[in-house]
Amino acid sequence: LPAVAWESGKPLSIEDVEVAPPKVHEVRIKVVAAGVCHTDWEYLYEAEKGMKFRPFPLVLGHEGAGIVESVGPEVTTFSPGDKVIPLFLPQCGECERCESAKTNHCRKNWANTQVGVLADGTSRISYQGQQVYQFLGVSAFSQYTVVPHTSLAKIRSDAPLDKVFLLGCGVSTGYGAAVNTAKVEKNSTCAVFGLGAVGLAAVMGCQVAGAKRIIGVDINPDKFAKAAVFGATECVNPKDHTMPIQEVLVKMTDGGVDYAVECVGSPSIMTAAFESTKDSCGSCVIAGWTETGVMNVKVEKILMGRTLRGTYFGGWKSVEDVPKLVNDYMKQKLKLDEFITHSLPLDQINVAFDLLRTGKSIRTVISL
Ligand code: NAD
Ligand code: ZN
Ligand code: ZN
């Protein structure tokens, strides 16, 4: 019984849908745990503001973990019973981008999954004969879903699904933004804007990389204690200052930070993050997600040697790297438990959306 989004701006409703068997190169999975990411919220409630149009009705959710239920024809790398994490970013292993070490942007089935359908142009989910679209090709807010075998990571059998689901989006994104995209260096000074799951994971990445100063920035001071757990050395609330936050940071750091990571999804904060880096070699990474927003970049700031880069899924090669991140968690090299603040059954999913929007939760684990 998945949670269906009938139209934008309206809460999800639990409906009795049908999930068809997997077609060629597809896998049907039983989703066990899922998280509500800001991107789900943004798409449901701000579709016209920051996100491109995607058709409704749809089943949201793109951060989940589960077990393979059945496999379609020509699937050789998965079997029923395997523990898996579905991926909104595929890794086909064959395209030019998969072969390049410079990018993780595989485009297998891309145009289709962006509009909520699989390779053959249809979704596997339907309600009384009507097609229900699959958000980013995943749809984790459903007990069963079908994904292409190139959008699925097989993970070790002893991994706790109610923790490692976080690696399906938020934690991998923020952690990778710091370690892969920014390539944070030892003894550097960093600032992370936005201390939700993505931002806290970026803080963790800065700490693992050996940063000396990690400054958390958020307008909600309730996030600061958690940020310290992940390695923030100090936190700043822009609301406590009359100066723009970038000027506050430049002053605090005597010229700007080496690395800034934006994990809010707001163009004006992206500008602030960029301008908080030091000239000559400061580097700003955008992890926050908006699809139609426009960011303001002063030419002088980039001319003086700063770098601006975006990150999608933290730069990880999804199919091969997610199992490694699961191993890192199992070896206690990576924190996951600390991101989970609430736990709810699927029929209370709208409560989980509210907890995220009001800043009360970091991640709620939804059990299916
Ligand atoms: P979240 O809602 O849990 O966290 C956002 C945080 O930003 C909150 O703590 C909020 O208080 C803070 N914030 C809001 N306004 C602020 C301001 N003016 N200054 C400083 N902080 C402010 O969200 P999340 O799930 O952690 O996601 C964060 C962003 O990352 C979203 O934009 C999401 O869409 C994006 N995202 C991107 C990718 C990717 O692949 N690039 C993947 C997942 C999520
Ligand atoms: Zn997400
Ligand atoms: Zn590819």
Side-chain angles (χ1 to χ4, degrees), residues 29-35 63-69 81-86 139-145 159-165 343-346 365-368:
I29 64 175
K30 184 179 186 333
V31 182
V32 172
E63 184 178 272
I67 295 166
V68 172
E69 180 265 346
D82 286 346
K83 282 191 180 174
V84 286
I85 293 182
S139 289
F141 301 156
S142 174
Q143 278 141 353
Y144 289 91
T145 190
L161 297 175
D162 60 351
K163 303 288 189 318
V164 298
F165 75 90
S343 171
L344 289 170
L346 181 65
V365 53
I366 303 290
S367 31
L368 289 104

PDB file of all heavy atoms in Angstrom, residues 29-35 63-69 81-86 139-145 159-165 343-346 365-368:
ATOM      1  N   ILE A  29      11.609  -4.923  -6.156  1.00  0.00           N
ATOM      2  CA  ILE A  29      12.129  -5.016  -4.788  1.00  0.00           C
ATOM      3  C   ILE A  29      11.039  -4.742  -3.774  1.00  0.00           C
ATOM      4  O   ILE A  29      10.076  -4.026  -4.038  1.00  0.00           O
ATOM      5  CB  ILE A  29      13.335  -4.066  -4.559  1.00  0.00           C
ATOM      6  CG1 ILE A  29      12.935  -2.597  -4.701  1.00  0.00           C
ATOM      7  CG2 ILE A  29      14.461  -4.364  -5.518  1.00  0.00           C
ATOM      8  CD1 ILE A  29      14.078  -1.655  -4.367  1.00  0.00           C
ATOM      9  N   LYS A  30      11.205  -5.361  -2.618  1.00  0.00           N
ATOM     10  CA  LYS A  30      10.352  -5.084  -1.475  1.00  0.00           C
ATOM     11  C   LYS A  30      11.093  -4.038  -0.657  1.00  0.00           C
ATOM     12  O   LYS A  30      12.177  -4.300  -0.151  1.00  0.00           O
ATOM     13  CB  LYS A  30      10.158  -6.368  -0.662  1.00  0.00           C
ATOM     14  CG  LYS A  30       9.207  -6.161   0.492  1.00  0.00           C
ATOM     15  CD  LYS A  30       8.997  -7.431   1.290  1.00  0.00           C
ATOM     16  CE  LYS A  30       7.917  -7.221   2.343  1.00  0.00           C
ATOM     17  NZ  LYS A  30       7.714  -5.855   2.835  1.00  0.00           N
ATOM     18  N   VAL A  31      10.525  -2.845  -0.597  1.00  0.00           N
ATOM     19  CA  VAL A  31      11.176  -1.765   0.143  1.00  0.00           C
ATOM     20  C   VAL A  31      10.920  -1.997   1.636  1.00  0.00           C
ATOM     21  O   VAL A  31       9.795  -2.265   2.043  1.00  0.00           O
ATOM     22  CB  VAL A  31      10.626  -0.384  -0.294  1.00  0.00           C
ATOM     23  CG1 VAL A  31      11.344   0.738   0.456  1.00  0.00           C
ATOM     24  CG2 VAL A  31      10.770  -0.190  -1.804  1.00  0.00           C
ATOM     25  N   VAL A  32      11.980  -1.909   2.428  1.00  0.00           N
ATOM     26  CA  VAL A  32      11.855  -2.171   3.865  1.00  0.00           C
ATOM     27  C   VAL A  32      11.903  -0.874   4.670  1.00  0.00           C
ATOM     28  O   VAL A  32      11.179  -0.703   5.643  1.00  0.00           O
ATOM     29  CB  VAL A  32      12.967  -3.149   4.327  1.00  0.00           C
ATOM     30  CG1 VAL A  32      12.992  -3.289   5.839  1.00  0.00           C
ATOM     31  CG2 VAL A  32      12.760  -4.517   3.668  1.00  0.00           C
ATOM     32  N   ALA A  33      12.755   0.053   4.248  1.00  0.00           N
ATOM     33  CA  ALA A  33      12.894   1.327   4.966  1.00  0.00           C
ATOM     34  C   ALA A  33      13.150   2.434   3.962  1.00  0.00           C
ATOM     35  O   ALA A  33      13.779   2.212   2.927  1.00  0.00           O
ATOM     36  CB  ALA A  33      14.060   1.249   5.953  1.00  0.00           C
ATOM     37  N   ALA A  34      12.629   3.626   4.275  1.00  0.00           N
ATOM     38  CA  ALA A  34      12.833   4.766   3.378  1.00  0.00           C
ATOM     39  C   ALA A  34      12.923   6.044   4.196  1.00  0.00           C
ATOM     40  O   ALA A  34      12.449   6.093   5.337  1.00  0.00           O
ATOM     41  CB  ALA A  34      11.681   4.870   2.379  1.00  0.00           C
ATOM     42  N   GLY A  35      13.527   7.068   3.611  1.00  0.00           N
ATOM     43  CA  GLY A  35      13.627   8.358   4.275  1.00  0.00           C
ATOM     44  C   GLY A  35      12.962   9.431   3.432  1.00  0.00           C
ATOM     45  O   GLY A  35      12.871   9.296   2.213  1.00  0.00           O
ATOM     46  N   GLU A  63      14.988   7.591  -1.438  1.00  0.00           N
ATOM     47  CA  GLU A  63      16.035   7.223  -0.477  1.00  0.00           C
ATOM     48  C   GLU A  63      15.493   6.001   0.260  1.00  0.00           C
ATOM     49  O   GLU A  63      14.631   6.154   1.133  1.00  0.00           O
ATOM     50  CB  GLU A  63      16.244   8.415   0.479  1.00  0.00           C
ATOM     51  CG  GLU A  63      17.348   8.276   1.480  1.00  0.00           C
ATOM     52  CD  GLU A  63      17.490   9.545   2.345  1.00  0.00           C
ATOM     53  OE1 GLU A  63      18.220  10.463   1.956  1.00  0.00           O
ATOM     54  OE2 GLU A  63      16.845   9.603   3.405  1.00  0.00           O
ATOM     55  N   GLY A  64      15.900   4.814  -0.130  1.00  0.00           N
ATOM     56  CA  GLY A  64      15.316   3.623   0.478  1.00  0.00           C
ATOM     57  C   GLY A  64      16.263   2.436   0.422  1.00  0.00           C
ATOM     58  O   GLY A  64      17.347   2.495  -0.166  1.00  0.00           O
ATOM     59  N   ALA A  65      15.835   1.343   1.069  1.00  0.00           N
ATOM     60  CA  ALA A  65      16.596   0.095   1.023  1.00  0.00           C
ATOM     61  C   ALA A  65      15.605  -1.054   1.119  1.00  0.00           C
ATOM     62  O   ALA A  65      14.542  -0.908   1.725  1.00  0.00           O
ATOM     63  CB  ALA A  65      17.589   0.033   2.183  1.00  0.00           C
ATOM     64  N   GLY A  66      15.946  -2.167   0.502  1.00  0.00           N
ATOM     65  CA  GLY A  66      15.007  -3.289   0.519  1.00  0.00           C
ATOM     66  C   GLY A  66      15.650  -4.594   0.093  1.00  0.00           C
ATOM     67  O   GLY A  66      16.878  -4.753   0.147  1.00  0.00           O
ATOM     68  N   ILE A  67      14.785  -5.505  -0.333  1.00  0.00           N
ATOM     69  CA  ILE A  67      15.204  -6.871  -0.668  1.00  0.00           C
ATOM     70  C   ILE A  67      14.646  -7.217  -2.047  1.00  0.00           C
ATOM     71  O   ILE A  67      13.481  -6.917  -2.333  1.00  0.00           O
ATOM     72  CB  ILE A  67      14.657  -7.852   0.400  1.00  0.00           C
ATOM     73  CG1 ILE A  67      15.301  -7.541   1.769  1.00  0.00           C
ATOM     74  CG2 ILE A  67      14.903  -9.303   0.019  1.00  0.00           C
ATOM     75  CD1 ILE A  67      14.615  -8.189   2.931  1.00  0.00           C
ATOM     76  N   VAL A  68      15.453  -7.846  -2.877  1.00  0.00           N
ATOM     77  CA  VAL A  68      14.985  -8.245  -4.206  1.00  0.00           C
ATOM     78  C   VAL A  68      13.876  -9.287  -4.057  1.00  0.00           C
ATOM     79  O   VAL A  68      14.027 -10.289  -3.352  1.00  0.00           O
ATOM     80  CB  VAL A  68      16.148  -8.819  -5.048  1.00  0.00           C
ATOM     81  CG1 VAL A  68      15.620  -9.411  -6.356  1.00  0.00           C
ATOM     82  CG2 VAL A  68      17.185  -7.739  -5.319  1.00  0.00           C
ATOM     83  N   GLU A  69      12.752  -9.039  -4.729  1.00  0.00           N
ATOM     84  CA  GLU A  69      11.613  -9.970  -4.688  1.00  0.00           C
ATOM     85  C   GLU A  69      11.625 -10.858  -5.924  1.00  0.00           C
ATOM     86  O   GLU A  69      11.437 -12.061  -5.845  1.00  0.00           O
ATOM     87  CB  GLU A  69      10.315  -9.162  -4.565  1.00  0.00           C
ATOM     88  CG  GLU A  69       9.048  -9.979  -4.509  1.00  0.00           C
ATOM     89  CD  GLU A  69       8.366 -10.154  -5.852  1.00  0.00           C
ATOM     90  OE1 GLU A  69       8.711  -9.422  -6.810  1.00  0.00           O
ATOM     91  OE2 GLU A  69       7.507 -11.031  -5.976  1.00  0.00           O
ATOM     92  N   GLY A  81      16.048 -12.144  -2.626  1.00  0.00           N
ATOM     93  CA  GLY A  81      16.663 -12.224  -1.300  1.00  0.00           C
ATOM     94  C   GLY A  81      17.848 -11.290  -1.116  1.00  0.00           C
ATOM     95  O   GLY A  81      18.228 -10.996   0.020  1.00  0.00           O
ATOM     96  N   ASP A  82      18.438 -10.806  -2.213  1.00  0.00           N
ATOM     97  CA  ASP A  82      19.578  -9.877  -2.088  1.00  0.00           C
ATOM     98  C   ASP A  82      19.131  -8.581  -1.406  1.00  0.00           C
ATOM     99  O   ASP A  82      18.060  -8.058  -1.703  1.00  0.00           O
ATOM    100  CB  ASP A  82      20.106  -9.468  -3.477  1.00  0.00           C
ATOM    101  CG  ASP A  82      20.888 -10.566  -4.168  1.00  0.00           C
ATOM    102  OD1 ASP A  82      21.249 -11.549  -3.499  1.00  0.00           O
ATOM    103  OD2 ASP A  82      21.129 -10.423  -5.388  1.00  0.00           O
ATOM    104  N   LYS A  83      19.970  -8.064  -0.538  1.00  0.00           N
ATOM    105  CA  LYS A  83      19.713  -6.736   0.027  1.00  0.00           C
ATOM    106  C   LYS A  83      20.213  -5.681  -0.951  1.00  0.00           C
ATOM    107  O   LYS A  83      21.321  -5.819  -1.495  1.00  0.00           O
ATOM    108  CB  LYS A  83      20.418  -6.574   1.373  1.00  0.00           C
ATOM    109  CG  LYS A  83      19.682  -7.277   2.503  1.00  0.00           C
ATOM    110  CD  LYS A  83      20.244  -6.879   3.858  1.00  0.00           C
ATOM    111  CE  LYS A  83      19.495  -7.603   4.968  1.00  0.00           C
ATOM    112  NZ  LYS A  83      20.105  -7.346   6.286  1.00  0.00           N
ATOM    113  N   VAL A  84      19.401  -4.659  -1.161  1.00  0.00           N
ATOM    114  CA  VAL A  84      19.716  -3.676  -2.199  1.00  0.00           C
ATOM    115  C   VAL A  84      19.321  -2.249  -1.786  1.00  0.00           C
ATOM    116  O   VAL A  84      18.464  -2.056  -0.926  1.00  0.00           O
ATOM    117  CB  VAL A  84      18.979  -3.996  -3.521  1.00  0.00           C
ATOM    118  CG1 VAL A  84      19.595  -5.186  -4.235  1.00  0.00           C
ATOM    119  CG2 VAL A  84      17.490  -4.217  -3.292  1.00  0.00           C
ATOM    120  N   ILE A  85      19.956  -1.289  -2.462  1.00  0.00           N
ATOM    121  CA  ILE A  85      19.580   0.118  -2.343  1.00  0.00           C
ATOM    122  C   ILE A  85      19.269   0.617  -3.757  1.00  0.00           C
ATOM    123  O   ILE A  85      20.132   0.556  -4.646  1.00  0.00           O
ATOM    124  CB  ILE A  85      20.728   0.942  -1.697  1.00  0.00           C
ATOM    125  CG1 ILE A  85      20.895   0.506  -0.234  1.00  0.00           C
ATOM    126  CG2 ILE A  85      20.453   2.446  -1.801  1.00  0.00           C
ATOM    127  CD1 ILE A  85      21.950   1.255   0.556  1.00  0.00           C
ATOM    128  N   PRO A  86      18.021   1.071  -4.003  1.00  0.00           N
ATOM    129  CA  PRO A  86      17.690   1.622  -5.321  1.00  0.00           C
ATOM    130  C   PRO A  86      18.356   2.983  -5.509  1.00  0.00           C
ATOM    131  O   PRO A  86      18.589   3.701  -4.536  1.00  0.00           O
ATOM    132  CB  PRO A  86      16.161   1.757  -5.286  1.00  0.00           C
ATOM    133  CG  PRO A  86      15.807   1.832  -3.844  1.00  0.00           C
ATOM    134  CD  PRO A  86      16.877   1.105  -3.073  1.00  0.00           C
ATOM    135  N   SER A 139      10.571   5.646  -6.515  1.00  0.00           N
ATOM    136  CA  SER A 139       9.332   5.402  -5.741  1.00  0.00           C
ATOM    137  C   SER A 139       9.563   4.504  -4.537  1.00  0.00           C
ATOM    138  O   SER A 139       9.087   3.367  -4.462  1.00  0.00           O
ATOM    139  CB  SER A 139       8.230   4.784  -6.608  1.00  0.00           C
ATOM    140  OG  SER A 139       7.742   5.729  -7.509  1.00  0.00           O
ATOM    141  N   ALA A 140      10.267   5.058  -3.551  1.00  0.00           N
ATOM    142  CA  ALA A 140      10.567   4.273  -2.352  1.00  0.00           C
ATOM    143  C   ALA A 140       9.415   4.256  -1.344  1.00  0.00           C
ATOM    144  O   ALA A 140       9.423   3.431  -0.433  1.00  0.00           O
ATOM    145  CB  ALA A 140      11.834   4.805  -1.678  1.00  0.00           C
ATOM    146  N   PHE A 141       8.421   5.145  -1.494  1.00  0.00           N
ATOM    147  CA  PHE A 141       7.306   5.137  -0.540  1.00  0.00           C
ATOM    148  C   PHE A 141       6.248   4.128  -0.976  1.00  0.00           C
ATOM    149  O   PHE A 141       5.061   4.430  -1.071  1.00  0.00           O
ATOM    150  CB  PHE A 141       6.685   6.535  -0.404  1.00  0.00           C
ATOM    151  CG  PHE A 141       7.630   7.603   0.062  1.00  0.00           C
ATOM    152  CD1 PHE A 141       7.397   8.943  -0.232  1.00  0.00           C
ATOM    153  CD2 PHE A 141       8.760   7.288   0.821  1.00  0.00           C
ATOM    154  CE1 PHE A 141       8.260   9.936   0.197  1.00  0.00           C
ATOM    155  CE2 PHE A 141       9.637   8.275   1.255  1.00  0.00           C
ATOM    156  CZ  PHE A 141       9.386   9.599   0.934  1.00  0.00           C
ATOM    157  N   SER A 142       6.709   2.927  -1.263  1.00  0.00           N
ATOM    158  CA  SER A 142       5.826   1.859  -1.705  1.00  0.00           C
ATOM    159  C   SER A 142       6.430   0.547  -1.235  1.00  0.00           C
ATOM    160  O   SER A 142       7.652   0.381  -1.283  1.00  0.00           O
ATOM    161  CB  SER A 142       5.751   1.872  -3.241  1.00  0.00           C
ATOM    162  OG  SER A 142       5.026   0.766  -3.707  1.00  0.00           O
ATOM    163  N   GLN A 143       5.590  -0.372  -0.787  1.00  0.00           N
ATOM    164  CA  GLN A 143       6.130  -1.647  -0.298  1.00  0.00           C
ATOM    165  C   GLN A 143       6.864  -2.415  -1.394  1.00  0.00           C
ATOM    166  O   GLN A 143       7.797  -3.148  -1.118  1.00  0.00           O
ATOM    167  CB  GLN A 143       5.007  -2.500   0.302  1.00  0.00           C
ATOM    168  CG  GLN A 143       4.710  -2.077   1.727  1.00  0.00           C
ATOM    169  CD  GLN A 143       3.240  -2.091   2.054  1.00  0.00           C
ATOM    170  OE1 GLN A 143       2.401  -2.294   1.176  1.00  0.00           O
ATOM    171  NE2 GLN A 143       2.913  -1.852   3.304  1.00  0.00           N
ATOM    172  N   TYR A 144       6.401  -2.226  -2.642  1.00  0.00           N
ATOM    173  CA  TYR A 144       7.097  -2.836  -3.781  1.00  0.00           C
ATOM    174  C   TYR A 144       7.338  -1.767  -4.830  1.00  0.00           C
ATOM    175  O   TYR A 144       6.518  -0.874  -5.020  1.00  0.00           O
ATOM    176  CB  TYR A 144       6.267  -3.973  -4.396  1.00  0.00           C
ATOM    177  CG  TYR A 144       6.206  -5.180  -3.497  1.00  0.00           C
ATOM    178  CD1 TYR A 144       5.171  -5.318  -2.576  1.00  0.00           C
ATOM    179  CD2 TYR A 144       7.210  -6.142  -3.530  1.00  0.00           C
ATOM    180  CE1 TYR A 144       5.135  -6.404  -1.714  1.00  0.00           C
ATOM    181  CE2 TYR A 144       7.179  -7.226  -2.675  1.00  0.00           C
ATOM    182  CZ  TYR A 144       6.142  -7.355  -1.771  1.00  0.00           C
ATOM    183  OH  TYR A 144       6.118  -8.429  -0.920  1.00  0.00           O
ATOM    184  N   THR A 145       8.482  -1.886  -5.521  1.00  0.00           N
ATOM    185  CA  THR A 145       8.722  -1.021  -6.663  1.00  0.00           C
ATOM    186  C   THR A 145       9.624  -1.772  -7.642  1.00  0.00           C
ATOM    187  O   THR A 145      10.206  -2.805  -7.290  1.00  0.00           O
ATOM    188  CB  THR A 145       9.323   0.348  -6.248  1.00  0.00           C
ATOM    189  OG1 THR A 145       9.317   1.217  -7.389  1.00  0.00           O
ATOM    190  CG2 THR A 145      10.745   0.224  -5.721  1.00  0.00           C
ATOM    191  N   ALA A 159      23.850  -5.937   6.453  1.00  0.00           N
ATOM    192  CA  ALA A 159      23.635  -4.490   6.613  1.00  0.00           C
ATOM    193  C   ALA A 159      22.216  -4.221   7.130  1.00  0.00           C
ATOM    194  O   ALA A 159      21.260  -4.777   6.613  1.00  0.00           O
ATOM    195  CB  ALA A 159      23.835  -3.790   5.276  1.00  0.00           C
ATOM    196  N   PRO A 160      22.071  -3.374   8.153  1.00  0.00           N
ATOM    197  CA  PRO A 160      20.725  -3.053   8.647  1.00  0.00           C
ATOM    198  C   PRO A 160      20.025  -2.072   7.697  1.00  0.00           C
ATOM    199  O   PRO A 160      20.449  -0.925   7.553  1.00  0.00           O
ATOM    200  CB  PRO A 160      20.995  -2.416  10.015  1.00  0.00           C
ATOM    201  CG  PRO A 160      22.388  -1.900   9.943  1.00  0.00           C
ATOM    202  CD  PRO A 160      23.138  -2.719   8.928  1.00  0.00           C
ATOM    203  N   LEU A 161      18.949  -2.539   7.073  1.00  0.00           N
ATOM    204  CA  LEU A 161      18.281  -1.725   6.046  1.00  0.00           C
ATOM    205  C   LEU A 161      17.703  -0.435   6.628  1.00  0.00           C
ATOM    206  O   LEU A 161      17.633   0.589   5.936  1.00  0.00           O
ATOM    207  CB  LEU A 161      17.186  -2.545   5.360  1.00  0.00           C
ATOM    208  CG  LEU A 161      17.698  -3.779   4.607  1.00  0.00           C
ATOM    209  CD1 LEU A 161      16.533  -4.598   4.055  1.00  0.00           C
ATOM    210  CD2 LEU A 161      18.617  -3.351   3.461  1.00  0.00           C
ATOM    211  N   ASP A 162      17.309  -0.494   7.919  1.00  0.00           N
ATOM    212  CA  ASP A 162      16.708   0.705   8.527  1.00  0.00           C
ATOM    213  C   ASP A 162      17.749   1.771   8.883  1.00  0.00           C
ATOM    214  O   ASP A 162      17.429   2.788   9.471  1.00  0.00           O
ATOM    215  CB  ASP A 162      15.873   0.321   9.752  1.00  0.00           C
ATOM    216  CG  ASP A 162      16.689  -0.381  10.835  1.00  0.00           C
ATOM    217  OD1 ASP A 162      17.863  -0.739  10.582  1.00  0.00           O
ATOM    218  OD2 ASP A 162      16.154  -0.569  11.939  1.00  0.00           O
ATOM    219  N   LYS A 163      19.010   1.541   8.532  1.00  0.00           N
ATOM    220  CA  LYS A 163      20.059   2.546   8.684  1.00  0.00           C
ATOM    221  C   LYS A 163      20.666   2.902   7.314  1.00  0.00           C
ATOM    222  O   LYS A 163      20.796   4.067   6.967  1.00  0.00           O
ATOM    223  CB  LYS A 163      21.194   2.040   9.591  1.00  0.00           C
ATOM    224  CG  LYS A 163      20.752   1.609  10.978  1.00  0.00           C
ATOM    225  CD  LYS A 163      20.381   2.794  11.823  1.00  0.00           C
ATOM    226  CE  LYS A 163      20.124   2.492  13.293  1.00  0.00           C
ATOM    227  NZ  LYS A 163      19.379   1.313  13.638  1.00  0.00           N
ATOM    228  N   VAL A 164      20.978   1.872   6.547  1.00  0.00           N
ATOM    229  CA  VAL A 164      21.734   2.112   5.303  1.00  0.00           C
ATOM    230  C   VAL A 164      20.888   2.717   4.179  1.00  0.00           C
ATOM    231  O   VAL A 164      21.425   3.178   3.179  1.00  0.00           O
ATOM    232  CB  VAL A 164      22.458   0.845   4.794  1.00  0.00           C
ATOM    233  CG1 VAL A 164      23.492   0.375   5.812  1.00  0.00           C
ATOM    234  CG2 VAL A 164      21.477  -0.263   4.454  1.00  0.00           C
ATOM    235  N   PHE A 165      19.553   2.789   4.378  1.00  0.00           N
ATOM    236  CA  PHE A 165      18.718   3.473   3.388  1.00  0.00           C
ATOM    237  C   PHE A 165      19.211   4.909   3.188  1.00  0.00           C
ATOM    238  O   PHE A 165      19.042   5.498   2.126  1.00  0.00           O
ATOM    239  CB  PHE A 165      17.240   3.459   3.829  1.00  0.00           C
ATOM    240  CG  PHE A 165      16.920   4.422   4.938  1.00  0.00           C
ATOM    241  CD1 PHE A 165      16.520   5.725   4.653  1.00  0.00           C
ATOM    242  CD2 PHE A 165      17.064   4.051   6.266  1.00  0.00           C
ATOM    243  CE1 PHE A 165      16.256   6.631   5.675  1.00  0.00           C
ATOM    244  CE2 PHE A 165      16.806   4.948   7.301  1.00  0.00           C
ATOM    245  CZ  PHE A 165      16.402   6.243   6.999  1.00  0.00           C
ATOM    246  N   SER A 343      11.012   7.728  13.860  1.00  0.00           N
ATOM    247  CA  SER A 343      10.681   6.482  13.178  1.00  0.00           C
ATOM    248  C   SER A 343       9.163   6.399  13.079  1.00  0.00           C
ATOM    249  O   SER A 343       8.470   6.584  14.080  1.00  0.00           O
ATOM    250  CB  SER A 343      11.270   5.357  14.030  1.00  0.00           C
ATOM    251  OG  SER A 343      10.827   4.129  13.545  1.00  0.00           O
ATOM    252  N   LEU A 344       8.629   6.165  11.880  1.00  0.00           N
ATOM    253  CA  LEU A 344       7.172   6.144  11.686  1.00  0.00           C
ATOM    254  C   LEU A 344       6.780   5.077  10.661  1.00  0.00           C
ATOM    255  O   LEU A 344       7.551   4.770   9.759  1.00  0.00           O
ATOM    256  CB  LEU A 344       6.687   7.508  11.159  1.00  0.00           C
ATOM    257  CG  LEU A 344       6.702   8.704  12.109  1.00  0.00           C
ATOM    258  CD1 LEU A 344       6.433   9.989  11.333  1.00  0.00           C
ATOM    259  CD2 LEU A 344       5.678   8.539  13.228  1.00  0.00           C
ATOM    260  N   PRO A 345       5.555   4.558  10.787  1.00  0.00           N
ATOM    261  CA  PRO A 345       5.060   3.652   9.740  1.00  0.00           C
ATOM    262  C   PRO A 345       4.639   4.457   8.508  1.00  0.00           C
ATOM    263  O   PRO A 345       4.414   5.677   8.602  1.00  0.00           O
ATOM    264  CB  PRO A 345       3.848   2.990  10.394  1.00  0.00           C
ATOM    265  CG  PRO A 345       3.381   3.975  11.412  1.00  0.00           C
ATOM    266  CD  PRO A 345       4.593   4.740  11.881  1.00  0.00           C
ATOM    267  N   LEU A 346       4.521   3.780   7.361  1.00  0.00           N
ATOM    268  CA  LEU A 346       4.207   4.474   6.097  1.00  0.00           C
ATOM    269  C   LEU A 346       2.917   5.289   6.170  1.00  0.00           C
ATOM    270  O   LEU A 346       2.838   6.374   5.585  1.00  0.00           O
ATOM    271  CB  LEU A 346       4.130   3.461   4.952  1.00  0.00           C
ATOM    272  CG  LEU A 346       3.845   4.062   3.573  1.00  0.00           C
ATOM    273  CD1 LEU A 346       4.993   4.962   3.120  1.00  0.00           C
ATOM    274  CD2 LEU A 346       3.602   2.974   2.539  1.00  0.00           C
ATOM    275  N   VAL A 365      12.919   7.558   9.764  1.00  0.00           N
ATOM    276  CA  VAL A 365      12.925   6.284   9.031  1.00  0.00           C
ATOM    277  C   VAL A 365      11.476   5.822   8.916  1.00  0.00           C
ATOM    278  O   VAL A 365      10.753   5.706   9.911  1.00  0.00           O
ATOM    279  CB  VAL A 365      13.857   5.215   9.670  1.00  0.00           C
ATOM    280  CG1 VAL A 365      13.582   5.002  11.134  1.00  0.00           C
ATOM    281  CG2 VAL A 365      13.731   3.888   8.927  1.00  0.00           C
ATOM    282  N   ILE A 366      11.047   5.631   7.669  1.00  0.00           N
ATOM    283  CA  ILE A 366       9.687   5.159   7.393  1.00  0.00           C
ATOM    284  C   ILE A 366       9.784   3.643   7.227  1.00  0.00           C
ATOM    285  O   ILE A 366      10.516   3.160   6.365  1.00  0.00           O
ATOM    286  CB  ILE A 366       9.156   5.771   6.078  1.00  0.00           C
ATOM    287  CG1 ILE A 366       9.174   7.310   6.120  1.00  0.00           C
ATOM    288  CG2 ILE A 366       7.761   5.235   5.746  1.00  0.00           C
ATOM    289  CD1 ILE A 366       8.173   7.929   7.032  1.00  0.00           C
ATOM    290  N   SER A 367       9.052   2.895   8.059  1.00  0.00           N
ATOM    291  CA  SER A 367       9.081   1.442   7.856  1.00  0.00           C
ATOM    292  C   SER A 367       7.869   1.020   7.039  1.00  0.00           C
ATOM    293  O   SER A 367       6.759   1.497   7.257  1.00  0.00           O
ATOM    294  CB  SER A 367       9.174   0.699   9.175  1.00  0.00           C
ATOM    295  OG  SER A 367       8.527   1.414  10.186  1.00  0.00           O
ATOM    296  N   LEU A 368       8.135   0.136   6.059  1.00  0.00           N
ATOM    297  CA  LEU A 368       7.072  -0.229   5.120  1.00  0.00           C
ATOM    298  C   LEU A 368       6.520  -1.625   5.405  1.00  0.00           C
ATOM    299  O   LEU A 368       7.107  -2.391   6.103  1.00  0.00           O
ATOM    300  CB  LEU A 368       7.618  -0.139   3.694  1.00  0.00           C
ATOM    301  CG  LEU A 368       7.845   1.326   3.294  1.00  0.00           C
ATOM    302  CD1 LEU A 368       9.278   1.694   3.323  1.00  0.00           C
ATOM    303  CD2 LEU A 368       7.221   1.600   1.938  1.00  0.00           C
TER     304      LEU A 368
END
